[in-house]
Amino acid sequence: MAESTSPEVLVRSPALLQVYESRLRELASPVVQDPLVWREWRRQTESLLELCAESGGGRPARAAIEPPSPAVRAVGLVAASAAWAELFQAVADHLAGTAWDPVERERPRDHVLPALNRAILTLVGAFGAEAEAETLDRIGAEQERIRMVVARDVHDWVGSSISLAMRRLDLYELRRGTPEAQDDLRQVRQALNEAWETVRRLVKGLRPWPPRIGLEGSLRAFAEAVKPPGVGLEVSVRGEESSLPVDVRAELLAIIREALRNALAHAGAGGVSAHAEILPGKVVAVVQDDGAGLDPGRAWHGAGLASMRERTELLAGEFRMSSHPSGGTRIDISVPLGGRPHEH
């Protein structure tokens, strides 16, 4: 049996921490698997035992219990609770195995162990509060991510289809009674059907589908439908489109289509071009117009620009836009094909 000593001295003993660490290693506790985690856990354990030692001496603790650190929270509440329970048992065994003065025999039970139990319960509660806060933060971040995904899809797919339908309705009003007017109505019906199908898929939690007739055919059909009369148009896609992952094809269509829509609807251009090339390891695309351009001294805002940039970055690609009031606007896109695109 150990030499008689006070409980507060025993609780501060390095031997107690050594016994505690040995027990955790025998149990393969996550607390001792990573040296960095164990160092932080040991520091907080020493602080915890110091507070209990003060209680063991019959004095109120001078400092509050520190909340679990990020390293401690990383092991998870179950593993942390098991390690704290092992700490309580280690302290209880040490106290039970020590010779006490008969006058002080009840002090461990009356002071140290209750103080340690309260401290551990406080840590468990703080751990749970931190975990709840982190969970709420993750839920909030995920909700914001979903909101941004839906906003992009609504703007780029539903919005562009409705914009196309409105454009064709304007043309129908101008060409009513002519053979061309029937084509305008057909285009309106097709655009509205696409918008409805996209909404239906989004409501079901599905993403818009990739082009069925290929990138070049899809882009050309869209651009021809929205371009003002007299505007020159060039669209080309070179390379093996079948080598593109399905998600990349759909995202590229959305990006280039939105760039074309902006150029044809807002630039006042005499000519607009969109050229994409599928190369080994990457896809590059350039959309350019000879229109009014943008003032470089002003910030470039707008949902369309933000959507194009976000979609490109989610594919781990690069998005660049250059513009000048007298030189039109050029958008350069480069997307790597080394792996699957990021989930979004």
Side-chain angles (χ1 to χ4, degrees):
M1 192 172 282
E3 183 180 350
S4 178
T5 185
S6 67
E8 57 265 30
V9 171
L10 177 62
V11 171
R12 292 189 178 101
S13 170
L16 172 58
L17 281 172
Q18 292 174 2
V19 170
Y20 177 49
E21 180 180 357
S22 296
R23 290 190 176 193
L24 291 179
R25 293 196 181 280
E26 290 176 3
L27 296 172
S29 170
V31 168
V32 292
Q33 301 302 312
D34 185 332
L36 295 177
V37 175
W38 169 243
R39 184 171 62 198
E40 182 64 19
W41 185 275
R42 181 186 175 103
R43 186 193 68 78
Q44 292 198 324
T45 299
E46 289 173 342
S47 176
L48 177 63
L49 292 176
E50 180 69 23
L51 294 174
C52 292
E54 293 178 3
S55 298
R59 302 183 303 276
R62 290 172 294 180
I65 299 172
E66 294 183 20
S69 69
V72 170
R73 295 200 303 274
V75 305
L77 180 56
V78 173
S81 298
W84 283 322
E86 197 62 33
L87 174 64
F88 185 91
Q89 190 61 51
V91 172
D93 290 347
H94 258 58
L95 294 176
T98 302
W100 301 102
D101 184 282
V103 178
E104 297 185 342
R105 187 178 301 276
E106 300 303 317
R107 288 183 60 190
R109 185 185 64 197
D110 294 344
H111 295 288
V112 176
L113 292 180
L116 179 58
N117 185 60
R118 288 193 299 271
I120 290 174
L121 290 176
T122 299
L123 285 170
V124 171
F127 197 113
E130 291 285 349
E132 181 180 11
E134 291 173 358
T135 299
L136 291 175
D137 287 343
R138 286 196 297 270
I139 291 173
E142 179 64 11
Q143 288 176 335
E144 178 62 16
R145 185 192 69 83
I146 293 173
R147 187 197 67 77
M148 292 179 66
V149 169
V150 173
R152 282 196 302 269
D153 286 344
V154 169
H155 178 275
D156 294 349
W157 296 100
V158 180
S160 64
S161 294
I162 293 176
S163 177
L164 172 57
M166 293 175 64
R167 167 66 182 160
R168 281 296 178 169
L169 278 175
D170 289 340
L171 290 175
Y172 174 78
E173 290 294 330
L174 293 174
R175 302 193 293 203
R176 185 181 300 181
T178 68
E180 291 84 358
Q182 294 304 311
D183 183 61
D184 292 331
L185 284 179
R186 183 183 62 80
Q187 291 279 359
V188 169
R189 188 174 293 108
Q190 178 179 330
L192 292 177
N193 282 336
E194 288 181 0
W196 167 244
E197 184 64 21
T198 300
V199 170
R200 186 185 65 81
R201 291 178 64 85
L202 290 176
V203 168
K204 290 185 176 181
L206 303 174
R207 301 304 311 280
W209 57 92
R212 295 188 180 93
I213 59 174
L215 279 173
E216 181 171 339
S218 297
L219 291 171
R220 186 180 299 279
F222 175 79
E224 290 287 355
V226 300
K227 80 178 185 71
V231 174
L233 177 66
E234 295 181 10
V235 176
S236 69
V237 177
R238 294 190 297 175
E240 186 53 56
E241 189 174 330
S242 62
S243 66
L244 296 177
V246 172
D247 291 348
V248 174
R249 291 176 62 208
E251 293 298 296
L252 281 173
L253 174 61
I255 296 166
I256 300 173
R257 196 164 88 157
E258 179 60 22
L260 279 169
R261 190 188 71 81
N262 282 342
L264 291 167
H266 306 302
V272 175
S273 64
H275 300 293
E277 186 171 7
I278 304 166
L279 302 168
K282 68 177 179 180
V283 180
V284 294
V286 177
V287 179
Q288 193 167 10
D289 67 71
D290 60 2
L294 299 172
D295 184 349
R298 300 174 59 189
W300 296 338
H301 299 292
L305 177 60
S307 174
M308 288 186 285
R309 189 182 301 278
E310 288 168 4
R311 287 186 187 276
T312 304
E313 291 174 352
L314 286 167
L315 294 172
E318 296 181 1
F319 179 93
R320 296 189 305 276
M321 186 174 79
S322 57
S323 185
H324 192 274
S326 61
T329 300
R330 174 182 171 124
I331 290 176
D332 289 87
I333 302 158
S334 177
V335 172
L337 297 177
R340 298 293 298 166
H342 298 299
E343 292 296 329
H344 65 286

